Amino acid sequence: MTKRMVLPGLSAIAIVTALYLALGSSPDVFQGDFVRIMYVHVPSSWLAFLAFGVTALGSALWLWRKTIVWDRIAEASAEIGVVFTALAILTGAIWGEPVWGTYWDWGDARMASTALMLFVYLGYLALRSATPDPIARARRSSILGLIAVVQVPLVYFSVTLWRTLHQGQTIRPDGIQMDGSMVAALLGGLAAFTLLYFSLMVERVRLARLEDENTISDSVAAGAAVTSPNLDGIS
Amino acid sequence: MNSALVSLRGVGVRFGPTPVLADIDLDLAPGEALGITGPNGAGKSTLLAVISTLLRPAAGTVSVFGSPVLRRDLPGVRRRIGMSGHEPGLYPELTLLENLALVENLVGDVRMSAMQVLEVVGLAGAAQRRASTASNGMQRRTDLARLIMTRPDLILLDEAHASLDSAARDIIDRLIHRTCEAGGGAVVVSHDRGVLGRSVDRVVEVAAGRLT
Amino acid sequence: MTRATASGFWKQALSIARRDLMIESRGGEVFGVVLPFAAVAVFVVPLATDALATRLDQLAYPVFWLVGLLFGMQVALRQTGTENLTQRRTLALMGIDPAARFAGRSLAAAILTTGVMLVIAPLVVLFYDPDSIPDIWPSLAAIIGFALGLSMLSTLAGDVTVGLRTRSSLAPLIVAPISVPLLIGASQTLEALIRDRSTMAPALLLTVTVLSLAVTGVLTAPALEEATT
């Protein structure tokens, strides 16, 4: 096994193990087998927060050090974060329907703020794709990355406040009664997803570097793009 | 510290993957007017942007007014630099006078009032005209008036002669002359050597991102 | 970076704000274009409902804040309030503190947005006939706080996207989700006034959000200037 395969290999083993733990754990008293969705949902949410935290860190370090790798890390992490945020929302909805009786519950502050966070980082990625020049892209998106990290906690608090001001009916059952096998399944999921995050990050950052190397050519300098006109061609 | 007004050493600039300038060494002495020429897309304007401190190069060092440009000194250094180009950058909704009055308000310490300087450039009669209805030549004169008003120590002109009548070109030449006389300097970019000939002391050529 | 002295900072900021307001007084983009458009929006919402059966009075405040949000963004991102590259470079070379520029542009946009919302408010009352109307002065404070925050946020988003071809849709995409604390802070303050509850929590949220945007804007201004000149 080459060195590059170590992290993906470990992630694969961890995911298989987590899957085994999740399917083998005992069902919940109230939720029955639906609780198993939580073993995907909770790790996805955790990854989303981890990923966006890393994006903010990468943005700050890029602004400070101006080393391009920090920008690549910020970008890679935002992309992974968006995917896992979407997964968290989706699994939450799939779980919510049988357990809460609804796909979407405005009474739950986390759902609304997670969805808003998804939009914030979709905007971040849209800004990146709209800026062709890598340096300009790094500069602008690092600033947005910082604005976002200051504002996202406020979004979370504001939605929580909004919910408490409108105390609706609570349709959810009491907290999950966790036995040992369920704790193991949850921890297994968290560990597997975290490993998956790092292996995706390594690959995505490597890909970004290859993209840049592919387009950078030292031989072409300015002016070479414009050559003498062929005056004979004008008849 | 060094005595040159502007000093570039080993400057390199790239726009994303494309290198635009490479290994530029350049000095501007006090009292000197330097011309930069070269074909379209050679990197002339980029070089001027580096000298103006607006563009930070990827490689090399830039010293302006005798010391390297540090982030914390930027406002002070920039206040002593004046740039004018082929695009005047006035606010089209405001009159020529209001455009200059804005400069007066923002800079505070100016040599002449907005109205006085409009007289100097021969636009007193057009003071109340909105920039959007003024001709390109009038807008360019107004922009030059800004430099006369703020009297920077370093004047940077990017194709500033293009499409100007000879009277307006005289304004430019006079501005360069007075600035250099006072120990300042000027860098004038033009693709036209003939234009540079009458305005500057020395001409360098940029070709394919390098000085030749 | 050497900041302009405190008086210099405000002098620069006010000059910039004055410039923007003068341009608006000539160009009329906000009061001649954005405001009528916002009024139309207020007017057409009932037409999209079964106005006779629906309790329009319940839509009054949501429509007011939604129109305020969407058109407040339009105000801050208006074409005549956007500096072109030459103008940005000229200001930078005059040694204008980028933070003062941010403050001045946000201030002008906030004044214009407040104006738009104050015209929209009576229209909403007229067309939707809400059950109760909150006290004027605290409501005005909430509207001004909302306009200030939204203007700063939109000015930041406008600067981050300046010069990009997709700016007109990209900047609102950036602003909308981040504006939620402002929206909740301001709308819940008004609702608390109507229901005679304590405005403490939402007003505090609004204040904290406005302050955090001001600090973020001032701190990122130099980097943003470097990215856009």
Side-chain angles (χ1 to χ4, degrees):
Chain A
M1 202 156 81
T2 64
K3 210 172 142 196
R4 241 187 71 204
M5 293 307 293
V6 172
L7 210 45
L10 282 177
S11 311
I13 294 169
I15 286 170
V16 171
T17 312
L19 208 60
Y20 172 78
L21 288 172
L23 294 176
S25 64
S26 44
D28 183 63
V29 184
F30 297 104
Q31 306 170 32
D33 282 333
F34 293 119
V35 73
R36 300 186 206 285
I37 298 173
M38 282 289 123
Y39 306 140
V40 178
H41 175 75
V42 174
S44 301
S45 306
W46 145 247
L47 261 204
F49 281 100
L50 172 71
F52 295 142
V54 170
T55 295
L57 192 69
S59 300
L61 286 169
W62 189 87
L63 275 177
W64 183 35
R65 308 297 309 179
K66 299 275 157 53
T67 322
I68 198 72
V69 68
W70 294 119
D71 182 57
R72 290 182 190 141
I73 286 175
E75 175 185 37
S77 200
E79 283 181 4
I80 297 170
V82 161
V83 170
F84 281 94
T85 309
L87 189 64
I89 293 170
L90 193 71
T91 50
I94 294 173
W95 176 85
E97 211 283 324
V99 178
W100 289 355
T102 174
Y103 288 110
W104 185 262
D105 178 14
W106 279 109
D108 188 68
R110 266 171 309 180
M111 286 179 81
S113 43
T114 306
L116 284 166
M117 193 168 73
L118 176 70
F119 294 127
V120 169
Y121 286 93
L122 280 176
Y124 172 88
L125 291 179
L127 173 66
R128 294 196 67 99
S129 66
T131 321
D133 176 60
I135 301 294
R137 189 193 312 142
R139 282 178 170 157
R140 291 173 181 227
S141 57
S142 62
I143 293 164
L144 182 56
L146 287 183
I147 296 172
V149 79
V150 176
Q151 295 303 316
V152 162
L154 280 167
V155 169
Y156 184 81
F157 284 124
S158 65
V159 177
T160 310
L161 175 71
W162 175 78
R163 190 192 106 71
T164 52
L165 292 175
H166 298 264
Q167 200 71 280
Q169 76 281 27
T170 311
I171 44 176
R172 75 210 60 178
D174 290 336
I176 300 168
Q177 313 291 316
M178 286 229 195
D179 73 11
S181 68
M182 295 165 82
V183 173
L186 197 57
L187 291 178
L190 286 171
F193 272 55
T194 308
L195 270 172
L196 179 64
Y197 169 77
F198 283 109
S199 68
L200 287 173
M201 277 296 284
V202 169
E203 287 305 305
R204 183 62 188 85
V205 171
R206 198 175 65 87
L207 195 65
R209 200 185 61 230
L210 288 177
E211 273 170 7
D212 285 355
E213 279 169 4
N214 218 15
T215 41
I216 289 176
S217 148
D218 280 315
S219 57
V220 196
V226 180
T227 53
S228 302
N230 174 13
L231 297 177
D232 293 337
I234 307 167
S235 53
Chain B
M1 288 296 278
N2 91 40
S3 61
L5 215 49
V6 177
S7 178
L8 270 53
R9 288 288 171 273
V11 163
V13 172
R14 47 173 72 236
F15 287 156
T18 321
V20 178
L21 292 176
D23 296 328
I24 302 279
D25 292 328
L26 186 71
D27 285 295
L28 181 75
E32 188 181 23
L34 173 75
I36 300 177
T37 189
N40 296 142
K44 304 186 294 290
S45 298
T46 305
L47 181 53
L48 204 64
V50 170
I51 296 172
S52 75
T53 74
L54 287 171
L55 182 65
R56 231 179 328 156
T61 56
V62 179
S63 298
V64 181
F65 304 128
S67 44
V69 179
L70 300 176
R71 198 185 266 265
R72 63 165 186 275
D73 303 330
L74 271 182
V77 168
R78 285 177 171 177
R79 228 163 273 154
R80 297 173 61 193
I81 301 175
M83 185 144 95
S84 180
H86 45 103
E87 203 190 303
L90 303 179
Y91 298 95
E93 292 85 359
L94 304 184
T95 65
L96 300 183
L97 182 63
E98 286 165 345
N99 266 288
L100 289 173
L102 175 68
V103 175
E104 202 177 336
N105 273 332
L106 284 171
V107 176
D109 172 35
V110 290
R111 301 292 174 97
M112 277 183 238
S113 76
M115 195 60 220
Q116 283 172 328
V117 82
L118 273 175
E119 272 169 38
V120 169
V121 298
L123 285 175
Q128 300 302 335
R129 253 214 224 185
R130 285 198 196 179
S132 57
T133 66
S135 72
N136 183 267
M138 290 161 91
Q139 295 189 38
R140 300 282 306 286
R141 280 197 198 200
T142 310
D143 203 42
L144 292 172
R146 175 173 61 81
L147 298 189
I148 298 171
M149 204 164 134
T150 54
R151 273 305 279 282
D153 295 323
L154 176 62
I155 291 187
L156 308 176
L157 301 172
D158 190 1
E159 303 284 1
H161 295 77
S163 75
L164 282 186
D165 58 22
S166 67
R169 289 183 178 206
D170 287 343
I171 296 174
I172 294 184
D173 289 344
R174 185 59 181 263
L175 188 62
I176 294 172
H177 184 70
R178 292 298 299 270
T179 305
C180 291
E181 229 176 33
V187 181
V188 184
V189 164
S190 175
H191 62 276
D192 185 350
R193 266 179 189 274
V195 160
L196 293 176
R198 61 177 237 183
S199 310
V200 302
D201 308 316
R202 174 165 75 99
V203 177
V204 295
E205 185 170 349
V206 185
R210 288 166 196 274
L211 283 184
T212 54
Chain C
M1 139 150 230
T2 28
R3 271 283 132 73
T5 55
S7 72
F9 176 92
W10 285 110
K11 187 171 178 286
Q12 290 181 356
L14 292 175
S15 295
I16 295 282
R18 194 163 156 267
R19 171 202 72 184
D20 283 2
L21 294 177
M22 272 171 81
I23 289 173
E24 170 53 29
S25 77
R26 304 283 166 71
E29 185 175 351
V30 172
F31 289 99
V33 183
V34 177
L35 177 62
F37 188 17
V40 172
V42 168
F43 189 75
V44 295
V45 169
L47 301 177
T49 67
D50 181 1
L52 298 177
T54 312
R55 298 278 311 278
L56 276 186
D57 55 327
Q58 292 191 345
L59 287 180
Y61 294 102
V63 165
F64 176 69
W65 290 114
L66 195 63
V67 167
L69 174 67
L70 296 179
F71 292 88
M73 271 190 243
Q74 296 261 308
V75 169
L77 296 168
R78 70 197 181 283
Q79 194 60 42
T80 52
T82 306
E83 299 150 342
N84 66 31
L85 180 64
T86 313
Q87 289 161 347
R88 292 196 300 274
R89 289 184 151 192
T90 303
L91 288 172
L93 285 181
M94 280 186 221
I96 305 303
D97 185 343
R101 206 178 121 249
F102 163 75
R105 294 175 62 223
S106 303
L107 183 64
I111 291 171
L112 296 171
T113 301
T114 304
V116 167
M117 293 185 76
L118 290 183
V119 176
I120 292 301
L123 292 181
V124 170
V125 172
L126 182 72
F127 291 134
Y128 294 73
D129 191 22
D131 285 339
S132 49
I133 295 168
D135 291 341
I136 297 284
W137 298 113
S139 309
L140 185 64
I143 290 173
I144 291 174
F146 176 78
L148 256 180
L150 184 62
S151 299
M152 288 192 286
L153 181 55
S154 305
T155 301
L156 281 173
D159 270 4
V160 165
T161 55
V162 77
L164 302 179
R165 289 173 60 83
T166 50
R167 179 180 190 250
S168 56
S169 44
L170 183 52
L173 170 63
I174 290 171
V175 174
I178 303 183
S179 69
V180 166
L182 293 168
L183 190 67
I184 291 178
S187 65
Q188 296 304 316
T189 302
L190 229 63
E191 192 164 318
L193 288 169
I194 293 166
R195 302 196 188 289
D196 221 13
R197 285 197 309 239
S198 163
T199 54
M200 177 74 176
L204 191 65
L205 172 69
L206 185 60
T207 312
V208 168
T209 309
V210 168
L211 289 177
S212 80
L213 284 167
V215 171
T216 313
V218 165
L219 291 182
T220 55
L224 203 47
E225 182 187 75
E226 199 187 326
T228 54
T229 46

